[in-house]
């Protein structure tokens, strides 16, 4: 059985490393002003995967923290997964060529599903669909808007599209250290034939342990941010717990430009 992937998170706002509370841009805590150095620190702790979000880009609909992202990709020796404002093919292909291993598409998955399908067909295994939820309904535009589409309904639209994974975030728990919504994450993984990455609310090693037990249900990995920055979760310990059996890195190489 494959092991659980641990994705330490670097969220970017105005070039700084931050964490938001419940996706609110006005409730940001700054953890550093050198994203590349943070990426190296995560690598030194044993991370093979990294989740990066251009928060400003998510609201603007296009890259805002491009320089910071490029610095992170150059500094991190493993696989970088990037989201935030990626809403057209040019953005997808630009980031993949620059060395990003997988791109995360959120708002466009709801508003332009044909684009997601085309991207997944053109770049197999390198497109992740973000399924962000408030009370079970899909949230978009940097989580500022809530749609009338359920999480499962959106996910099922892409079951035959060839996307690499679904990234499920319980927005109400994100950055709040309330504990990962394991029940909802596992329910989604069981409802679709696409691997699911858990996100939102990881508070400590107990959340990692709970998710490890559901790898067989389709849970591919977990993203953790505030718990790492606040010292509540030791990254090396989390990776050790998650790596109870060998699992290959996803993707064939870091990216087309690497």
């Amino acid at each position: 059985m494959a092991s659980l992937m641990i994705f330490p998170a670097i969220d970017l706002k105005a070039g700084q490393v931050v964490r938001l509370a419940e996706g609110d841009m006005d409730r940001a805590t700054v953890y550093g002003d050198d994203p590349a150095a943070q990426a190296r620190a995560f690598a030194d702790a044993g991370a093979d995967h990294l989740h990066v979000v251009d928060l400003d880009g998510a609201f603007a609909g296009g890259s805002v923290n491009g320089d910071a992202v490029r610095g992170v990709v150059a500094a991190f020796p493993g696989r970088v997964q990037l989201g935030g404002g990626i809403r057209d093919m040019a953005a997808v292909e630009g980031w993949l060529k620059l060395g990003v291993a997988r791109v995360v598409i959120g708002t466009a998955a709801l508003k332009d599903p044909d684009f997601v399908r085309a991207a997944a067909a053109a770049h197999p295994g390198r497109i992740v669909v973000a399924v962000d939820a408030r009370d079970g309904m899909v949230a978009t535009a940097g989580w500022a808007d809530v749609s009338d589409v359920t999480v499962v309904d959106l996910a099922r639209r892409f079951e035959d599209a060839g996307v690499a994974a679904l990234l499920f975030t319980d927005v109400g728990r994100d950055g709040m250290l309330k504990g990962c919504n394991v029940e909802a994450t596992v329910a989604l993984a069981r409802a679709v034939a696409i691997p699911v990455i858990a996100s939102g609310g990881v508070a400590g090693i107990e959340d990692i342990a709970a998710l490890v037990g559901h790898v067989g249900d389709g849970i591919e990995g977990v993203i953790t941010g505030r718990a790492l920055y606040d010292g509540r979760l030791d990254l090396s310990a989390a990776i050790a717990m998650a790596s109870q059996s060998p699992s290959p890195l996803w993707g064939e190489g870091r990216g087309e430009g690497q």
Side-chain angles (χ1 to χ4, degrees), residues 58-59 87 106-111 130 132-133 137-147 154 171:
F59 284 88
R87 298 179 192 173
T107 296
L110 180 64
K111 298 185 176 181
D132 304 328
M137 309 306 287
V138 175
T140 63
W143 303 341
D145 302 324
V146 179
S147 73
L154 179 64
V171 177

Side-chain angles (χ1 to χ4, degrees), residues 5 7 49 79-82 92 96 99-105 116-129 158-166 194-195 197 220 248-256:
M5 298 178 187
F7 293 82
H49 306 91
R79 270 65 171 174
V80 175
Q81 177 172 281
L82 173 68
V92 169
L96 293 180
V100 169
R102 298 204 301 199
V103 296
V104 181
I105 300 173
V116 177
R117 289 178 173 276
H123 304 285
R126 304 185 72 178
I127 306 299
V128 176
V129 172
F158 299 103
E159 276 198 295
D160 61 349
V163 300
L166 302 172
I194 307 172
I197 300 169
E220 177 186 82
L249 293 174
W250 37 257
E252 297 296 331
R254 288 188 63 196
E256 295 172 12

Side-chain angles (χ1 to χ4, degrees), residues 136-219:
M137 309 306 287
V138 175
T140 63
W143 303 341
D145 302 324
V146 179
S147 73
D148 59 358
V149 178
T150 69
V151 167
V152 172
D153 284 344
L154 179 64
R156 284 177 173 162
R157 294 176 186 179
F158 299 103
E159 276 198 295
D160 61 349
V163 300
L166 302 172
L167 196 169
F168 174 68
T169 302
D170 183 336
V171 177
R173 297 190 183 214
D174 192 65
M176 300 301 292
L177 300 170
K178 294 179 178 179
C180 185
N181 192 337
V182 176
E183 182 178 356
T185 306
V186 171
L188 175 61
R190 289 173 174 170
V192 297
I194 307 172
V196 175
I197 300 169
S199 177
V202 171
I205 198 71
E206 297 83 3
D207 290 301
I208 307 302
L211 290 166
V212 165
H214 290 286
V215 170
D217 290 312
I219 304 299

